[in-house]
Amino acid sequence: MRITRRLEFDAGHRIPNHDSQCRHLHGHRYALEVTLSGEIIATDGAAEQGMVMDFSEVKAIAQRHVVDAWDHAFLAWRGDRAVVQFLQTLPGHKTVLCDAPPTAEQLAVTAFRILDQVYRDKYGNNLKLENVRVYETPNCWADAASPR
C-alpha cells in the first residue's frame, strides 16, 4: 500500500548558469510530496490500525526535517560565491547552502536523502520511503525515487 502527504513552503533560489530567467534571484511556492509504502497496520486497538502511517505524523516528520529548514529561506548553491557572500551580509538571514545548484531535481534528491532513514520501518510494517516529489511550480516537478 502507498500513501502520499503534501506540504508546501516558500523559498528563494537562483540557478546561476541557467540560460533564462532562473539565473536571477527569485522565489517559488514549492510543494513537497512524500510517498511511503508499507503494510496496513492490523493491530487491534492501535492508534494507527487500518493505516500505513498516520498522515499527521508523515507531515510532522517532513515538516521537522525538511520544510522548517527550507521555508522562507534562500536556497543557495555553495559554488555561487557572489550570492553566498551577499546573503552573509544580511543579519539573521535564513540561508540554506546546497552542494549543487538548487534545482527541483537536486532539492528532491536532497529531501529524499534526509527523509529516507527517518521514516524507515517506523511501525514494524515494512514502512519505506518510495518517492519524494518537489514541485517548483504547479506544472514543473522532479521525483527522487527509491531504487527498486
Side-chain angles (χ1 to χ4, degrees):
M1 172 65 64
R2 286 193 175 120
I3 62 170
T4 300
R5 182 65 161 95
R6 180 183 174 100
L7 298 90
E8 295 182 356
F9 63 96
D10 299 294
H13 79 150
R14 100 176 186 116
I15 310 301
N17 299 322
H18 197 267
D19 287 335
S20 189
Q21 299 287 21
C22 286
R23 72 180 174 276
H24 303 293
L25 300 175
H26 65 286
H28 294 283
R29 175 72 174 173
Y30 288 95
L32 175 77
E33 290 183 354
V34 176
T35 300
L36 301 162
S37 67
E39 298 164 14
I40 295 174
I41 298 167
T43 308
D44 285 336
E48 300 82 17
Q49 184 177 1
M51 303 175 191
V52 171
M53 183 176 186
D54 188 312
F55 284 118
S56 67
E57 192 168 0
V58 176
K59 177 185 177 184
I61 290 170
Q63 186 79 36
R64 181 171 50 253
H65 292 278
V66 175
V67 174
D68 286 347
W70 293 0
D71 188 37
H72 284 81
F74 195 87
L75 309 173
W77 175 37
R78 292 177 196 280
D80 193 357
R81 289 185 182 16
V83 166
V84 171
Q85 289 173 351
F86 166 70
L87 293 170
Q88 289 171 340
T89 68
L90 303 174
H93 188 270
K94 190 174 179 183
T95 303
V96 173
L97 295 178
C98 304
D99 293 329
T103 61
E105 295 89 340
Q106 289 297 330
L107 295 175
V109 167
T110 299
F112 190 97
R113 182 183 41 77
I114 291 167
L115 295 172
D116 187 36
Q117 293 302 312
V118 182
Y119 288 111
R120 190 166 299 274
D121 209 17
K122 187 162 178 61
Y123 299 110
N125 64 337
N126 297 314
L127 189 68
K128 180 181 176 187
L129 181 62
E130 291 287 336
N131 194 71
V132 171
R133 175 172 283 178
V134 173
Y135 286 86
E136 189 173 271
T137 71
N139 301 316
C140 301
W141 64 85
D143 289 318
S146 175
R148 294 269 174 216

